[in-house]
């Protein structure tokens, strides 16, 4: 009789725990139609940037079965980003079902949470060897965070995606063309060409003023000069330029992959 009572109590406790587990599940947005490797719920990326990422993602997927997805979301609303990443990979099914080789870059953009926003990279079990937590942490620090601190979410997304793309391609020995990730150091301070341009401008101003304003025009065509951080790289577009959404038909779905909790992240 006591044995039966214990079994009934255990069954009751299990039954009561189910609603608690359901409540604790992450609040995950539905995948956007017409997009696969880019889930930009804020509208940060331009069409050309999205298309570049989609092309890289598709090439890697076709060659290795691995899938890299970037999710840009305004707020996690207090959810734990590591668990959120695991749940997104599982619910979306990012990566190959047998290999569990999906990767997910999450960037939170809420302007009211400056210094407390999350950036995190989650990976499936199949990529934990190629992308251990320590390496992911360095990628976040050396690429993602540096661009975010410079005020460019676009470059943070693009450069991080490129680095992950290269690492996974090398892991599978894929002989496809690697890409050159944009270096955050290139955007710090004045570039060499900018310094030259400043010297030329100062010289021209001095020449004009010393001649009393005569002979200032050279008749040549003028070229506009943009800072080195504006619109650089092969992706085009600047910070915050959404440019509308690109349409690629209905949502095609992922490969059915899962995650065991590997990943690393920081606050910004």
């Amino acid at each position: 009789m006591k044995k039966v009572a214990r079994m009934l109590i255990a069954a009751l406790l299990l039954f009561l725990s189910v609603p608690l587990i359901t409540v604790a599940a992450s609040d995950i947005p539905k995948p956007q139609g017409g997009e696969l490797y880019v889930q930009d719920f804020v509208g940060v990326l331009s069409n050309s940037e999205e298309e570049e990422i989609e092309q890289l993602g598709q090439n890697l997927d076709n060659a290795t079965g691995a899938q890299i997805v970037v999710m840009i979301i305004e707020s996690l609303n207090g959810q734990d980003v590591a668990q959120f990443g695991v749940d997104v990979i599982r619910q979306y099914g990012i990566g190959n079902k047998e290999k569990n080789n999906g990767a997910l870059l999450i960037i939170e953009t809420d302007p009211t949470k400056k210094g407390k926003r999350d950036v995190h990279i989650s990976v499936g079990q199949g990529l934990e060897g190629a992308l251990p937590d320590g390496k992911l942490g360095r990628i976040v620090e050396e690429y993602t965070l540096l661009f975010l601190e410079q005020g460019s979410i676009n470059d943070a997304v693009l450069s991080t995606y490129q680095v992950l793309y290269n690492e996974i391609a090398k892991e599978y020995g894929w002989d496809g063309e690697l890409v050159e990730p944009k270096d955050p150091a290139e955007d710090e301070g004045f570039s060499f060409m900018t310094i030259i341009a400043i010297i030329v401008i100062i010289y021209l101003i001095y020449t004009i003023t010393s001649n009393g304003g005569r002979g200032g025009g050279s008749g040549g065509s003028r070229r506009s000069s943009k800072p080195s951080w504006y619109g650089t790289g092969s992706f085009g577009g600047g910070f915050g330029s959404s440019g509308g959404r690109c349409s690629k038909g209905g949502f095609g779905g992922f490969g059915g992959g899962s995650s065991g909790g590997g990943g690393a992240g920081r606050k910004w």
Side-chain angles (χ1 to χ4, degrees), residues 25-64:
S26 297
D27 182 16
I28 299 172
K30 293 182 179 179
Q32 293 181 326
E35 297 176 345
L36 187 61
Y37 309 101
V38 176
Q39 296 294 316
D40 182 2
F41 295 96
V42 182
V44 169
L45 302 176
S46 68
N47 278 348
S48 60
E49 290 166 336
E50 287 188 8
E51 290 168 2
E52 186 73 19
I53 291 176
E54 290 283 343
Q55 187 62 59
L56 287 174
Q58 189 64 66
N59 291 344
L60 188 69
D61 192 352
N62 291 340
T64 67

Side-chain angles (χ1 to χ4, degrees), residues 85-258:
V86 171
D87 292 343
V88 170
I89 290 179
R90 290 176 177 174
Q91 184 167 310
Y92 282 18
I94 301 172
N96 181 275
K97 186 175 183 179
E98 286 74 32
K99 298 177 182 179
N100 291 323
N101 53 358
L104 172 68
L105 168 64
I106 302 168
I107 296 182
E108 186 181 21
T109 65
D110 190 344
T112 67
K113 294 174 58 180
K114 187 174 181 181
K116 299 180 180 179
R117 294 168 291 196
D118 281 300
V119 53
H120 193 275
I121 302 175
S122 302
V123 297
Q125 296 98 318
L127 290 178
E128 289 180 359
L131 294 168
D133 294 355
K135 178 181 285 188
L136 290 174
R138 289 192 296 273
I139 292 173
V140 171
E141 291 176 351
E142 296 173 6
Y143 289 89
T144 325
L145 270 185
L146 289 182
F147 276 122
L148 290 177
E149 290 169 354
Q150 292 173 16
S152 180
I153 299 177
N154 302 60
D155 286 332
V157 171
L158 298 172
S159 65
T160 306
Y161 199 95
Q162 292 169 326
V163 173
L164 294 174
Y165 171 92
N166 286 345
E167 291 295 328
I168 295 173
K170 288 186 288 187
E171 169 68 10
Y172 282 91
W174 179 41
D175 57 0
E177 182 178 356
L178 299 181
V179 292
E180 183 66 31
K182 187 175 181 181
D183 186 354
E186 294 177 356
D187 288 354
E188 295 180 353
F190 292 104
S191 67
F192 176 77
M193 293 304 298
T194 302
I195 295 173
I196 295 297
I198 292 174
I199 294 174
V200 171
I201 291 172
I202 293 174
Y203 174 78
L204 290 175
I205 293 174
Y206 172 79
T207 302
I208 293 172
T209 55
S210 64
N211 290 333
R214 296 187 301 273
S218 62
S221 60
R222 293 180 296 174
R223 293 181 295 177
S224 60
S225 177
K226 295 180 180 179
S228 62
W229 47 261
Y230 184 91
T232 55
S234 61
F235 296 96
F239 174 77
S241 58
S242 60
R245 319 303 297 178
C246 53
S247 176
K248 312 178 191 68
F251 178 73
F254 296 96
S258 185

Side-chain angles (χ1 to χ4, degrees), residues 7-23:
M7 292 177 63
L8 290 174
I9 293 173
L12 179 61
L13 291 174
L14 179 62
F15 174 78
L16 291 175
S17 68
V18 172
L20 296 177
I21 295 174
T22 303
V23 172

